[in-house]
Amino acid sequence: MKFSFEFFPPKTPEGMSNLLLTSKRLAELSPEFFSVTFGAGGSTREGTLATVQMLKENIGMNVAPHLACMGCSRSALIDIIKIYQRLGLKRIVALRGDLPSGMGQSGELKFAYELVSLIREVSGDHFYIEVAAYPEFHPQCVTVEDDIMNLKAKMDAGANSAITQYFFNADAYFYLRDACVKHGITLPIVPGIMPITQVAKLIRFSEVCGAEIPQWIRKQLISFEDDVDSIKAFGQEVVYKLCERLLSGGAPGLHFYTLNHAEPSATLVTSLLSTAKLAE
Ligand code: FAD
């Protein structure tokens, strides 16, 4: 079973020390790679670089920076790609990104497929390029067909693999995967998995990124009110079953959105690994 963990760049030295502990704990599980988001949640691109360097120096893991083209000039993007190449990083997650509301220019590159082309132009085959995919479709997509063809455009521009937005409905993932096959998209599509730990935060995130929380999950979570233990236990059960179904249905791996916390993702991976061992 292949799996990876995503972090965001901490904003304080204390956050960075906590991330070091989190990443040490998760490295014990031997993931394929760690990834570090770019510009999300108000953090800067320097934050991504500093976090990637910290992880590389202290953990020695395969680390993949995310890079988003929106809001960046072409020359700034080229500089960052070259820095990552010089650091010896081998994997990159190429995205369009979202501009914080009220922030001016969108940048010279408008879509992620243009960034994938730029990375190939600047660094040839050096990087293994991951791109984003959306089992419940991107919030701005005009038609479902457009969204699928956008993934094809990213593959044709040189992407190697895709990681999805998180979702709680396995059928949405299987539908996207089968539709991709019909459109000649041969990229592995790795489900992005969001452990459930905090209800208000999950509802807020899901509204922004367009992920649906099915009613039966939402209502059950809300009914627990401040009972954190019940939320965690129910969340673990729901997400574990989702992961199991995805893996048994042929998903090529899992990518965990850790939100810089080790235990929810570590518990899921440990349970999944022991189930996989029992099945051998
Ligand atoms: P694109 O693939 O460019 O698609 C964006 C939209 O444009 C889609 O609706 C697509 O259908 C449409 N489109 C594409 N081409 C055209 C065209 N030629 N004409 C008209 N429409 C077109 N955001 C961050 O800021 N930082 C991160 O680190 C980050 N990490 C992420 C990691 C993963 C795994 C995922 C799934 C998302 C991540 N995001 C991140 C969020 C992402 O940046 C947003 O979802 C963003 O809105 C779209 O990025 P994209 O790379 O999918 O864009």
PDB file of all heavy atoms in Angstrom, residues 52-77:
ATOM      1  N   VAL A  52      10.199  22.693   3.566  1.00  0.00           N
ATOM      2  CA  VAL A  52      10.787  21.605   2.773  1.00  0.00           C
ATOM      3  C   VAL A  52      12.231  21.369   3.223  1.00  0.00           C
ATOM      4  O   VAL A  52      12.663  20.222   3.421  1.00  0.00           O
ATOM      5  CB  VAL A  52      10.719  21.976   1.266  1.00  0.00           C
ATOM      6  CG1 VAL A  52      11.647  21.110   0.444  1.00  0.00           C
ATOM      7  CG2 VAL A  52       9.291  21.850   0.751  1.00  0.00           C
ATOM      8  N   GLN A  53      12.972  22.470   3.432  1.00  0.00           N
ATOM      9  CA  GLN A  53      14.378  22.324   3.850  1.00  0.00           C
ATOM     10  C   GLN A  53      14.469  21.678   5.228  1.00  0.00           C
ATOM     11  O   GLN A  53      15.305  20.804   5.461  1.00  0.00           O
ATOM     12  CB  GLN A  53      15.071  23.689   3.860  1.00  0.00           C
ATOM     13  CG  GLN A  53      15.470  24.101   2.447  1.00  0.00           C
ATOM     14  CD  GLN A  53      16.072  25.482   2.405  1.00  0.00           C
ATOM     15  OE1 GLN A  53      15.481  26.438   2.920  1.00  0.00           O
ATOM     16  NE2 GLN A  53      17.232  25.614   1.791  1.00  0.00           N
ATOM     17  N   MET A  54      13.583  22.112   6.137  1.00  0.00           N
ATOM     18  CA  MET A  54      13.589  21.547   7.498  1.00  0.00           C
ATOM     19  C   MET A  54      13.338  20.034   7.443  1.00  0.00           C
ATOM     20  O   MET A  54      14.024  19.244   8.084  1.00  0.00           O
ATOM     21  CB  MET A  54      12.507  22.260   8.322  1.00  0.00           C
ATOM     22  CG  MET A  54      12.448  21.886   9.786  1.00  0.00           C
ATOM     23  SD  MET A  54      11.688  20.294  10.136  1.00  0.00           S
ATOM     24  CE  MET A  54       9.945  20.658   9.995  1.00  0.00           C
ATOM     25  N   LEU A  55      12.360  19.626   6.624  1.00  0.00           N
ATOM     26  CA  LEU A  55      12.017  18.199   6.544  1.00  0.00           C
ATOM     27  C   LEU A  55      13.155  17.399   5.901  1.00  0.00           C
ATOM     28  O   LEU A  55      13.491  16.304   6.347  1.00  0.00           O
ATOM     29  CB  LEU A  55      10.727  18.006   5.735  1.00  0.00           C
ATOM     30  CG  LEU A  55       9.450  18.519   6.412  1.00  0.00           C
ATOM     31  CD1 LEU A  55       8.277  18.526   5.429  1.00  0.00           C
ATOM     32  CD2 LEU A  55       9.092  17.674   7.630  1.00  0.00           C
ATOM     33  N   LYS A  56      13.748  17.984   4.875  1.00  0.00           N
ATOM     34  CA  LYS A  56      14.820  17.287   4.159  1.00  0.00           C
ATOM     35  C   LYS A  56      16.030  17.091   5.091  1.00  0.00           C
ATOM     36  O   LYS A  56      16.610  16.020   5.165  1.00  0.00           O
ATOM     37  CB  LYS A  56      15.209  18.113   2.929  1.00  0.00           C
ATOM     38  CG  LYS A  56      15.932  17.305   1.889  1.00  0.00           C
ATOM     39  CD  LYS A  56      16.025  18.050   0.583  1.00  0.00           C
ATOM     40  CE  LYS A  56      16.798  17.206  -0.425  1.00  0.00           C
ATOM     41  NZ  LYS A  56      18.214  17.028  -0.114  1.00  0.00           N
ATOM     42  N   GLU A  57      16.372  18.169   5.828  1.00  0.00           N
ATOM     43  CA  GLU A  57      17.549  18.095   6.703  1.00  0.00           C
ATOM     44  C   GLU A  57      17.321  17.175   7.895  1.00  0.00           C
ATOM     45  O   GLU A  57      18.200  16.419   8.283  1.00  0.00           O
ATOM     46  CB  GLU A  57      17.915  19.496   7.220  1.00  0.00           C
ATOM     47  CG  GLU A  57      18.710  20.291   6.195  1.00  0.00           C
ATOM     48  CD  GLU A  57      18.640  21.785   6.436  1.00  0.00           C
ATOM     49  OE1 GLU A  57      18.405  22.189   7.594  1.00  0.00           O
ATOM     50  OE2 GLU A  57      18.803  22.552   5.454  1.00  0.00           O
ATOM     51  N   ASN A  58      16.135  17.233   8.487  1.00  0.00           N
ATOM     52  CA  ASN A  58      15.908  16.499   9.735  1.00  0.00           C
ATOM     53  C   ASN A  58      15.354  15.104   9.553  1.00  0.00           C
ATOM     54  O   ASN A  58      15.581  14.230  10.377  1.00  0.00           O
ATOM     55  CB  ASN A  58      14.951  17.280  10.644  1.00  0.00           C
ATOM     56  CG  ASN A  58      15.607  18.526  11.179  1.00  0.00           C
ATOM     57  OD1 ASN A  58      16.400  18.454  12.102  1.00  0.00           O
ATOM     58  ND2 ASN A  58      15.302  19.658  10.576  1.00  0.00           N
ATOM     59  N   ILE A  59      14.589  14.901   8.516  1.00  0.00           N
ATOM     60  CA  ILE A  59      13.933  13.599   8.357  1.00  0.00           C
ATOM     61  C   ILE A  59      14.562  12.829   7.195  1.00  0.00           C
ATOM     62  O   ILE A  59      14.511  11.608   7.156  1.00  0.00           O
ATOM     63  CB  ILE A  59      12.404  13.768   8.113  1.00  0.00           C
ATOM     64  CG1 ILE A  59      11.782  14.734   9.130  1.00  0.00           C
ATOM     65  CG2 ILE A  59      11.674  12.428   8.118  1.00  0.00           C
ATOM     66  CD1 ILE A  59      11.628  14.224  10.520  1.00  0.00           C
ATOM     67  N   GLY A  60      15.118  13.572   6.213  1.00  0.00           N
ATOM     68  CA  GLY A  60      15.763  12.915   5.069  1.00  0.00           C
ATOM     69  C   GLY A  60      14.783  12.208   4.150  1.00  0.00           C
ATOM     70  O   GLY A  60      15.144  11.325   3.395  1.00  0.00           O
ATOM     71  N   MET A  61      13.509  12.604   4.245  1.00  0.00           N
ATOM     72  CA  MET A  61      12.478  11.956   3.428  1.00  0.00           C
ATOM     73  C   MET A  61      12.427  12.560   2.037  1.00  0.00           C
ATOM     74  O   MET A  61      12.912  13.661   1.821  1.00  0.00           O
ATOM     75  CB  MET A  61      11.102  12.221   4.054  1.00  0.00           C
ATOM     76  CG  MET A  61      10.778  11.388   5.237  1.00  0.00           C
ATOM     77  SD  MET A  61      10.011   9.871   4.774  1.00  0.00           S
ATOM     78  CE  MET A  61       8.841  10.360   3.552  1.00  0.00           C
ATOM     79  N   ASN A  62      11.766  11.857   1.135  1.00  0.00           N
ATOM     80  CA  ASN A  62      11.417  12.410  -0.162  1.00  0.00           C
ATOM     81  C   ASN A  62      10.339  13.489   0.091  1.00  0.00           C
ATOM     82  O   ASN A  62       9.272  13.165   0.583  1.00  0.00           O
ATOM     83  CB  ASN A  62      10.871  11.244  -0.993  1.00  0.00           C
ATOM     84  CG  ASN A  62      10.595  11.612  -2.416  1.00  0.00           C
ATOM     85  OD1 ASN A  62      10.759  12.762  -2.818  1.00  0.00           O
ATOM     86  ND2 ASN A  62      10.159  10.636  -3.189  1.00  0.00           N
ATOM     87  N   VAL A  63      10.663  14.761  -0.178  1.00  0.00           N
ATOM     88  CA  VAL A  63       9.711  15.842   0.113  1.00  0.00           C
ATOM     89  C   VAL A  63       9.303  16.524  -1.194  1.00  0.00           C
ATOM     90  O   VAL A  63      10.157  16.834  -2.026  1.00  0.00           O
ATOM     91  CB  VAL A  63      10.315  16.915   1.058  1.00  0.00           C
ATOM     92  CG1 VAL A  63       9.246  17.920   1.460  1.00  0.00           C
ATOM     93  CG2 VAL A  63      10.921  16.293   2.291  1.00  0.00           C
ATOM     94  N   ALA A  64       7.996  16.754  -1.348  1.00  0.00           N
ATOM     95  CA  ALA A  64       7.482  17.378  -2.574  1.00  0.00           C
ATOM     96  C   ALA A  64       6.860  18.730  -2.248  1.00  0.00           C
ATOM     97  O   ALA A  64       5.829  18.780  -1.574  1.00  0.00           O
ATOM     98  CB  ALA A  64       6.428  16.471  -3.198  1.00  0.00           C
ATOM     99  N   PRO A  65       7.474  19.831  -2.709  1.00  0.00           N
ATOM    100  CA  PRO A  65       6.810  21.118  -2.514  1.00  0.00           C
ATOM    101  C   PRO A  65       5.624  21.260  -3.463  1.00  0.00           C
ATOM    102  O   PRO A  65       5.679  20.778  -4.595  1.00  0.00           O
ATOM    103  CB  PRO A  65       7.900  22.138  -2.872  1.00  0.00           C
ATOM    104  CG  PRO A  65       8.874  21.399  -3.722  1.00  0.00           C
ATOM    105  CD  PRO A  65       8.747  19.938  -3.420  1.00  0.00           C
ATOM    106  N   HIS A  66       4.563  21.923  -3.016  1.00  0.00           N
ATOM    107  CA  HIS A  66       3.487  22.327  -3.913  1.00  0.00           C
ATOM    108  C   HIS A  66       3.930  23.661  -4.510  1.00  0.00           C
ATOM    109  O   HIS A  66       4.584  24.461  -3.844  1.00  0.00           O
ATOM    110  CB  HIS A  66       2.183  22.556  -3.154  1.00  0.00           C
ATOM    111  CG  HIS A  66       1.605  21.315  -2.546  1.00  0.00           C
ATOM    112  ND1 HIS A  66       0.256  21.159  -2.333  1.00  0.00           N
ATOM    113  CD2 HIS A  66       2.184  20.157  -2.103  1.00  0.00           C
ATOM    114  CE1 HIS A  66       0.018  19.973  -1.774  1.00  0.00           C
ATOM    115  NE2 HIS A  66       1.168  19.352  -1.625  1.00  0.00           N
ATOM    116  N   LEU A  67       3.556  23.898  -5.753  1.00  0.00           N
ATOM    117  CA  LEU A  67       3.846  25.179  -6.395  1.00  0.00           C
ATOM    118  C   LEU A  67       2.592  25.612  -7.143  1.00  0.00           C
ATOM    119  O   LEU A  67       2.056  24.844  -7.941  1.00  0.00           O
ATOM    120  CB  LEU A  67       5.033  25.015  -7.357  1.00  0.00           C
ATOM    121  CG  LEU A  67       5.459  26.256  -8.123  1.00  0.00           C
ATOM    122  CD1 LEU A  67       5.825  27.410  -7.187  1.00  0.00           C
ATOM    123  CD2 LEU A  67       6.677  25.940  -9.014  1.00  0.00           C
ATOM    124  N   ALA A  68       2.119  26.834  -6.845  1.00  0.00           N
ATOM    125  CA  ALA A  68       0.905  27.336  -7.511  1.00  0.00           C
ATOM    126  C   ALA A  68       1.279  28.534  -8.369  1.00  0.00           C
ATOM    127  O   ALA A  68       2.023  29.416  -7.930  1.00  0.00           O
ATOM    128  CB  ALA A  68      -0.143  27.714  -6.469  1.00  0.00           C
ATOM    129  N   CYS A  69       0.775  28.565  -9.610  1.00  0.00           N
ATOM    130  CA  CYS A  69       1.187  29.634 -10.538  1.00  0.00           C
ATOM    131  C   CYS A  69       0.409  30.927 -10.330  1.00  0.00           C
ATOM    132  O   CYS A  69       0.875  32.000 -10.697  1.00  0.00           O
ATOM    133  CB  CYS A  69       1.097  29.168 -11.981  1.00  0.00           C
ATOM    134  SG  CYS A  69      -0.535  28.568 -12.486  1.00  0.00           S
ATOM    135  N   MET A  70      -0.784  30.856  -9.740  1.00  0.00           N
ATOM    136  CA  MET A  70      -1.606  32.055  -9.632  1.00  0.00           C
ATOM    137  C   MET A  70      -0.937  33.096  -8.727  1.00  0.00           C
ATOM    138  O   MET A  70      -0.450  32.777  -7.646  1.00  0.00           O
ATOM    139  CB  MET A  70      -2.975  31.687  -9.071  1.00  0.00           C
ATOM    140  CG  MET A  70      -3.942  32.810  -9.280  1.00  0.00           C
ATOM    141  SD  MET A  70      -5.621  32.252  -9.109  1.00  0.00           S
ATOM    142  CE  MET A  70      -6.182  32.253 -10.769  1.00  0.00           C
ATOM    143  N   GLY A  71      -0.874  34.333  -9.220  1.00  0.00           N
ATOM    144  CA  GLY A  71      -0.281  35.400  -8.414  1.00  0.00           C
ATOM    145  C   GLY A  71       1.229  35.480  -8.523  1.00  0.00           C
ATOM    146  O   GLY A  71       1.850  36.323  -7.881  1.00  0.00           O
ATOM    147  N   CYS A  72       1.856  34.604  -9.326  1.00  0.00           N
ATOM    148  CA  CYS A  72       3.323  34.618  -9.465  1.00  0.00           C
ATOM    149  C   CYS A  72       3.697  34.972 -10.899  1.00  0.00           C
ATOM    150  O   CYS A  72       3.022  34.525 -11.832  1.00  0.00           O
ATOM    151  CB  CYS A  72       3.903  33.232  -9.218  1.00  0.00           C
ATOM    152  SG  CYS A  72       4.168  32.834  -7.514  1.00  0.00           S
ATOM    153  N   SER A  73       4.799  35.695 -11.057  1.00  0.00           N
ATOM    154  CA  SER A  73       5.263  35.958 -12.423  1.00  0.00           C
ATOM    155  C   SER A  73       5.958  34.699 -12.945  1.00  0.00           C
ATOM    156  O   SER A  73       6.383  33.836 -12.162  1.00  0.00           O
ATOM    157  CB  SER A  73       6.249  37.129 -12.428  1.00  0.00           C
ATOM    158  OG  SER A  73       7.414  36.733 -11.749  1.00  0.00           O
ATOM    159  N   ARG A  74       6.086  34.639 -14.279  1.00  0.00           N
ATOM    160  CA  ARG A  74       6.771  33.502 -14.901  1.00  0.00           C
ATOM    161  C   ARG A  74       8.218  33.403 -14.395  1.00  0.00           C
ATOM    162  O   ARG A  74       8.714  32.325 -14.080  1.00  0.00           O
ATOM    163  CB  ARG A  74       6.743  33.738 -16.422  1.00  0.00           C
ATOM    164  CG  ARG A  74       7.096  32.579 -17.258  1.00  0.00           C
ATOM    165  CD  ARG A  74       7.062  32.997 -18.731  1.00  0.00           C
ATOM    166  NE  ARG A  74       8.087  32.267 -19.454  1.00  0.00           N
ATOM    167  CZ  ARG A  74       7.904  31.075 -19.991  1.00  0.00           C
ATOM    168  NH1 ARG A  74       6.742  30.506 -19.931  1.00  0.00           N
ATOM    169  NH2 ARG A  74       8.895  30.474 -20.604  1.00  0.00           N
ATOM    170  N   SER A  75       8.878  34.575 -14.273  1.00  0.00           N
ATOM    171  CA  SER A  75      10.284  34.522 -13.854  1.00  0.00           C
ATOM    172  C   SER A  75      10.399  34.078 -12.393  1.00  0.00           C
ATOM    173  O   SER A  75      11.334  33.354 -12.032  1.00  0.00           O
ATOM    174  CB  SER A  75      10.987  35.852 -14.106  1.00  0.00           C
ATOM    175  OG  SER A  75      10.442  36.823 -13.256  1.00  0.00           O
ATOM    176  N   ALA A  76       9.454  34.485 -11.544  1.00  0.00           N
ATOM    177  CA  ALA A  76       9.503  34.035 -10.135  1.00  0.00           C
ATOM    178  C   ALA A  76       9.305  32.519 -10.077  1.00  0.00           C
ATOM    179  O   ALA A  76       9.953  31.824  -9.284  1.00  0.00           O
ATOM    180  CB  ALA A  76       8.426  34.742  -9.312  1.00  0.00           C
ATOM    181  N   LEU A  77       8.409  32.003 -10.915  1.00  0.00           N
ATOM    182  CA  LEU A  77       8.176  30.548 -10.932  1.00  0.00           C
ATOM    183  C   LEU A  77       9.435  29.815 -11.392  1.00  0.00           C
ATOM    184  O   LEU A  77       9.818  28.799 -10.799  1.00  0.00           O
ATOM    185  CB  LEU A  77       6.993  30.212 -11.865  1.00  0.00           C
ATOM    186  CG  LEU A  77       5.615  30.665 -11.359  1.00  0.00           C
ATOM    187  CD1 LEU A  77       4.573  30.586 -12.472  1.00  0.00           C
ATOM    188  CD2 LEU A  77       5.171  29.821 -10.163  1.00  0.00           C
TER     189      LEU A  77
END
